[in-house]
Amino acid sequence: MKSVARFSSLQNTFYLLRHGRSHANAQRLIVSDFSVGQIGFGLTDDGADQVRANLVAVKRELPDFTRIHASDFLRTRQTAMLASEVLAAPVELSPQLRERGFGDFEGQSSDRYDQVWEQDAVDPTHTHWNVESVQSVAARMIECVLEIDRSGSGETYLLVSHGDPLQILITVAQGTDLRRHRRLKPLGTAEVRPLPSS
């Protein structure tokens, strides 16, 4: 199944930033429920340091940002605020950038991701274990980018989100089959990448 959209005519430039190391990462837990992730499992101290250090290291290579759009989970809000300090850009929260919902695996070991990803490689519309499908994540991430893009032209935006949503968005931008999203090199915590242009 092909990606549901391609970004061949974007008027603006987009960069992606995965949140820094969080308490969920440190504890190897799946925290995808907004009611939990909104108030808990923020950045660890070393995760906050990681965000600052990574952004300072690449700042010279980055353009000036018009605005930072971030998932409204605690770990992404904290990452965005640190990015705002380093990059001198305002932050706006965008619920469309939230973590992928992992359904029945909420609060369980992050080892469970592998089961979901195995099914993703078969069918990107699957909702086994009540997880949010790859196709659903792709649709909301696409809409977020297009909504921002409609606001003007010639600007540069930073999107702060989570591992799976960003991986899926990159897959869409490359025009790659959604079933292959885990074959891309995963973004590390606090890693910045440009959104590919198709």
Side-chain angles (χ1 to χ4, degrees), residues 10-118:
L10 292 178
Q11 305 177 85
N12 300 283
T13 302
F14 293 84
Y15 281 74
L16 313 176
L17 170 62
R18 185 181 172 193
H19 64 77
R21 181 173 169 80
S22 70
H23 287 283
N25 296 137
Q27 297 174 46
R28 295 183 55 78
L29 292 177
I30 295 175
V31 178
S32 65
D33 186 318
F34 180 63
S35 67
V36 178
Q38 178 189 23
I39 58 174
F41 295 94
L43 298 182
T44 60
D45 289 343
D46 66 310
D49 291 342
Q50 179 188 44
V51 173
R52 288 190 200 92
N54 284 9
L55 288 174
V56 168
V58 299
K59 184 178 179 182
R60 290 182 184 176
E61 304 166 19
L62 297 174
D64 292 333
F65 288 95
T66 303
R67 191 164 55 250
I68 298 167
H69 286 263
S71 157
D72 49 2
F73 275 58
L74 179 59
R75 56 192 182 262
T76 37
R77 295 199 318 268
Q78 291 173 330
T79 299
M81 294 310 297
L82 292 168
S84 179
E85 292 174 14
V86 175
L87 303 173
V91 174
E92 181 173 323
L93 299 180
S94 297
Q96 293 154 306
L97 297 176
R98 286 179 182 173
E99 175 65 289
R100 179 183 184 183
F102 282 93
D104 299 343
F105 293 147
E106 179 70 22
Q108 296 189 33
S109 167
S110 57
D111 291 340
R112 294 286 196 171
Y113 286 135
D114 289 336
Q115 289 177 252
V116 178
W117 295 334
E118 285 176 10

Side-chain angles (χ1 to χ4, degrees), residues 5-16 145 169-176 193-198:
R6 296 183 71 176
F7 301 132
S8 58
S9 57
L10 292 178
Q11 305 177 85
N12 300 283
T13 302
F14 293 84
Y15 281 74
L16 313 176
V145 171
L169 182 60
I170 292 170
T171 304
V172 168
Q174 291 182 340
T176 302
R193 280 191 208 171
L195 179 67
S197 56
S198 55

